[in-house]
Structure formats: C-alpha cells, structure tokens
Amino acid sequence: MANLLHEWKSQFQGYSRNIMLFFWFNFVWNLGLGMFGLVYNLYVKSLGYGQTTVGSIVGMTSLAAALILIPAGIMNDRFGPKRVITTGLVLTIAALTARSLIEAQGGMLVSSFFGGMALAVVSATILPFMANNSTPQQRVHLFSFNMALVMIANVVGIALGGVLCDFFQYVMNLEPIVSLRFTLMTGVCIAALGIIPVALFEPSEVESQPRTESISIKASWRAHRSSLQVIAIFCLLGLLSSIGGGMIVPYLNVYFEDRFQASKSAIGLVVALGQGATAVAFLIGPMIARRFGEVKSVVYLQLCSIPFLLITAFSANFYLSSGGYLFRQALMNAANPFYNSVKMSYVDRSLRGLASSSGEAVFNLGWFLAAPVSTGLVERFGSYYGYAYAFCITAVVYSVISYFFYFFFGKNRFKPVEEAR
C-alpha cells in the first residue's frame, strides 16, 4: 500500500497545470452528467412513453455523436482543445436544459440529437488533450486516475440524483415529473461549473505551434500509414464494443426498475456502487499493467467480466444481480485506461484528435444500431428473457473483441510511434 501511495504521489508531482485544471473540470462535469443520465430515462417513462421511445432517444443521441465526432476531432487537431471544448460546453448546457423542459416526443428527439452533437464535441478533445499534456511514462497512471475521477464524480452524481428525486417527491411533496425535472436542472447547473477551469487552460507546446502545411491524402497515407491502420483497427474494435455495450448499458437503470421494481434510490445506489467499484479498479490498474503488460491486461480484464455479466443476465434476485453488475462494471471498464494508452502509443501525435474522435464516432454508431435491437427484445420477450438475450449478445461480442485486440496488438504487428524529444 505504501508503495502504491508513493507511486501515485510521484505521478501527481509531475503533472502540468493544464492537467490539474482538467481534473477539476472533469469532476464537476461528470458529476452533473451523472445526475442527468440517471434521471432522464426515468423522466421519459414518467411522461407516459414506453421503452421504444427511450431507445429512440438513446439512438438519436448516439447517431448525432457519430456524425459530428470526426469533424470535431479534426477541429481539435487544427484549433486546439480550449476553443473546441468551450464551444461544446456552452452548446451542451443549452441542449441539456432544453431536454429537461421539453415533454413532446418530437422535441425530445430533436433536443437529444443536438445534445448528442454538443456532448461529442467535448468528448472528442479529452483523450488527445491528456496525451498532448503528458509524457508516455505518465499516461497509464494519468488515464487511470482520470477514469477513476470520472467514476467518483458519477458515484456522487448518480447517488445524489436518486436521493434528490425521492426528496423532492416524498419530502417536498412535489409531483413525480416535477421532482425529476428539478433533479435534471440541478445536474445541468453543476455541469455548467466546468466552464471555469476550462477558461483557465493554457495552450500546450504542441498546440502553440502553427499548422500551416497542407498535406495531400496520398502524402498523408505515406507518412502515417501505420498510424492510419491502427486507427482503422480501433474503429473496428470500437464498433463491436459499442454494439455489445449499447445492448445493455443505456438501459441498466430501466432494467433494475423493470425486472425488480426497484425504487429510484435503490437504483441510484446500485449504479453508484458500480461506478465506485470501477474507480477502485482504475486506481490499482497500473499495478496490473506493470505485471502483465497493457495488452494482456485489457484481454484478461474483459474476459473476467463476462461471467458476472451472465449472472446479471439470468438472476431473478435483486442482490445477486446487483453483485454481478458491480463486478462486471469494475472489470470491464478497468481495461479502458490501458486500451487508450495503447491507442495513443501507436498513433502519431498529429492524428490523435482523429484517432480519438473516429473511435468515439463508431462507438456512438454502434449504440445507435444496438438501441432498437435491445429495446425490441425487451418489448417482445419481456423484462426477464428480453434483457437476458441482450446480455448474452453482449457477452459474445466482448469475447470476440478480446480475441481481436490480442491478435492485432499482442503479437507486435505494429510498432509504437516514437515520441518527439
């Protein structure tokens, strides 16, 4: 334990001012989004809409993100993250406010579409920003701590969201829809505080360098062939991962309500505990990577999550299903820092915005494709078998991803890009 604490202390002492400001931004931003994400699907259902409407909203948000992410990544590479992320923040806050107030189905779909676009602009800057403001030796720890911080923020946001809903409804005696709307707006206000640290960002050395050259597609392919091949592979893996995750992740709060008739506070507690378990896994993740290597760590963690995914799929007991969810959440997501570190190591720094945004674009495309399948299974087969089939599809897809990831990056088929000195 002492060695672990010393290791993390040394890492923090080496982080730049931009990274420390980024941590503050990411905490308040994800705290607010965590509250909003937990409550919004429940808000839609409280308006009288069914599971198919929830799926349509999730699909519309993901489609919008898929459309804008690659242009956002190119803008990030050209203009730097400060301008891009500030614009995205303002537009996201406006879209989330609209989603909190609109009740008509058409309006919800339109606001979800524009909200998905704005949120994607923000997310496209995060990975390249961290990579450009850190050294290769810092990245596993940096990515791990950042994801742990996101999980902790989500724990607080999700738990607070569930408690506030019940507080407004049962203590303040507000109507259920009004209590949900108040909680949504509270989350939006907290997320808006993220604008403050972003305004204090300073351009990094890489971002300060002017980019006046114009390179043809052929010349770019010759100069960065290996990096572009790696980007294509990660796009394939991201699409598969999003199809698997999109079958279950957006509907976990509705899953616990449909199958077990759990209260909003109980749902918030379970989801928050899942995020907390993931945060702990992120913090100990660098020790796993140091022992097995980044590639093997990704494969081992993903495969170990599958049995717990199946427990959640077939359990008819709330506590057993919740336990399976907690372990699946921690193990599967703990692989993400190593996954991202591998991606940044094999891609030239001039293409990191494209690498990040293209991966997220296909990820959101996969969620869009998976949404009608998952909701259709639940509509047709009910809250037990419908979710069970969806979870099983996800388990198969995750197994395939693990194999492909090891096939491409566990056999030294590509060489890491040399960092500029």
Side-chain angles (χ1 to χ4, degrees):
M1 177 61 71
N3 291 336
L4 180 63
L5 293 176
H6 177 73
E7 183 177 330
W8 278 107
K9 180 181 178 181
S10 299
Q11 288 291 322
F12 271 99
Q13 290 174 342
Y15 290 151
S16 67
R17 178 176 180 271
N18 269 4
I19 291 296
M20 301 305 293
L21 286 171
F22 174 80
F23 288 153
W24 282 109
F25 152 72
N26 226 13
F27 180 79
V28 296
W29 179 245
N30 283 281
L31 193 154
L33 293 183
M35 291 182 63
F36 191 95
L38 171 78
V39 176
Y40 190 72
N41 287 354
L42 304 175
Y43 170 70
V44 173
K45 291 193 70 179
S46 73
L47 292 172
Y49 298 107
Q51 183 76 2
T52 53
T53 301
V54 175
S56 297
I57 291 172
V58 172
M60 190 64 68
T61 304
S62 300
L63 175 62
L67 293 174
I68 197 62
L69 269 165
I70 291 180
I74 295 172
M75 287 189 295
N76 178 78
D77 287 336
R78 182 171 295 274
F79 301 114
K82 183 174 181 177
R83 293 180 185 177
V84 176
I85 200 172
T86 301
T87 302
L89 279 172
V90 173
L91 295 176
T92 301
I93 296 303
L96 293 181
T97 301
R99 293 179 68 181
S100 303
L101 301 176
I102 294 174
E103 297 186 10
Q105 183 174 1
M108 288 192 295
L109 291 173
V110 171
S111 60
S112 295
F113 182 84
F114 286 106
M117 277 192 166
L119 188 58
V121 170
V122 177
S123 65
T125 68
I126 290 176
L127 196 59
F129 178 85
M130 288 192 294
N132 289 345
N133 285 275
S134 63
T135 65
Q137 294 73 28
Q138 292 175 327
R139 285 193 193 129
V140 169
H141 287 80
L142 175 59
F143 293 168
S144 295
F145 180 78
N146 178 65
M147 289 189 170
L149 187 68
V150 170
M151 292 297 104
I152 293 171
N154 275 302
V155 167
V156 178
I158 290 169
L160 185 59
V163 171
L164 279 179
C165 283
D166 289 339
F167 173 79
F168 287 135
Q169 181 176 350
Y170 298 115
V171 179
M172 302 297 291
N173 294 318
L174 299 177
E175 293 293 327
I177 292 178
V178 176
S179 67
L180 290 167
R181 184 172 290 145
F182 275 18
T183 306
L184 290 172
M185 288 305 303
T186 302
V188 173
C189 291
I190 293 173
L193 296 175
I195 296 175
I196 298 173
V198 169
L200 300 175
F201 283 171
E202 295 178 352
S204 67
E205 181 181 348
V206 176
E207 295 157 2
S208 301
Q209 297 172 355
R211 297 187 60 184
T212 57
E213 73 278 7
S214 178
I215 304 176
S216 67
I217 295 176
K218 289 184 178 180
S220 179
W221 171 256
R222 287 195 298 268
H224 304 297
R225 180 175 180 177
S226 178
S227 294
L228 292 171
Q229 288 175 335
V230 169
I231 290 174
I233 291 170
F234 273 99
C235 283
L236 171 63
L237 297 176
L239 180 62
L240 291 174
S241 178
S242 63
I243 290 174
M247 297 290 293
I248 59 170
V249 174
Y251 315 107
L252 283 169
N253 50 358
V254 181
Y255 157 80
F256 283 111
E257 184 177 62
D258 286 347
R259 182 176 285 190
F260 303 107
Q261 292 76 50
S263 68
K264 295 179 181 64
S265 294
I267 295 171
L269 178 61
V270 171
V271 176
L273 287 174
Q275 306 282 27
T278 305
V280 174
F282 283 147
L283 293 176
I284 65 174
M287 297 176 62
I288 300 174
R290 188 164 55 249
R291 178 168 182 177
F292 299 107
E294 294 176 6
V295 173
K296 289 184 179 179
S297 296
V298 171
V299 175
Y300 293 160
L301 289 168
Q302 288 183 341
L303 291 178
C304 287
S305 73
I306 292 175
F308 297 102
L309 179 65
L310 296 177
I311 290 174
T312 307
F314 292 103
S315 175
N317 180 277
F318 174 75
Y319 298 103
L320 183 60
S321 182
S322 299
Y325 162 75
L326 296 180
F327 281 100
R328 177 266 161 199
Q329 186 81 354
L331 291 169
M332 186 67 192
N333 289 323
N336 287 341
F338 320 136
Y339 184 90
N340 290 330
S341 180
V342 171
K343 180 191 294 186
M344 292 295 100
S345 296
Y346 285 89
V347 174
D348 187 84
R349 70 193 316 162
S350 66
L351 297 174
R352 283 173 182 164
L354 177 63
S356 176
S357 61
S358 60
E360 289 201 41
V362 297
F363 187 90
N364 282 277
L365 177 61
W367 272 39
F368 172 75
L369 297 174
V373 178
S374 180
T375 55
L377 288 172
V378 176
E379 288 284 337
R380 180 173 181 180
F381 297 105
S383 61
Y384 182 82
Y385 285 104
Y387 285 112
Y389 293 151
F391 277 65
C392 286
I393 292 172
T394 300
V396 172
V397 172
Y398 283 171
S399 299
V400 173
I401 293 169
S402 298
Y403 169 76
F404 279 144
F405 189 82
Y406 185 75
F407 176 81
F408 287 118
F409 299 105
K411 301 292 185 179
N412 296 321
R413 287 178 168 81
F414 297 94
K415 293 183 179 180
V417 175
E418 290 293 332
E419 295 287 336
R421 300 297 179 186

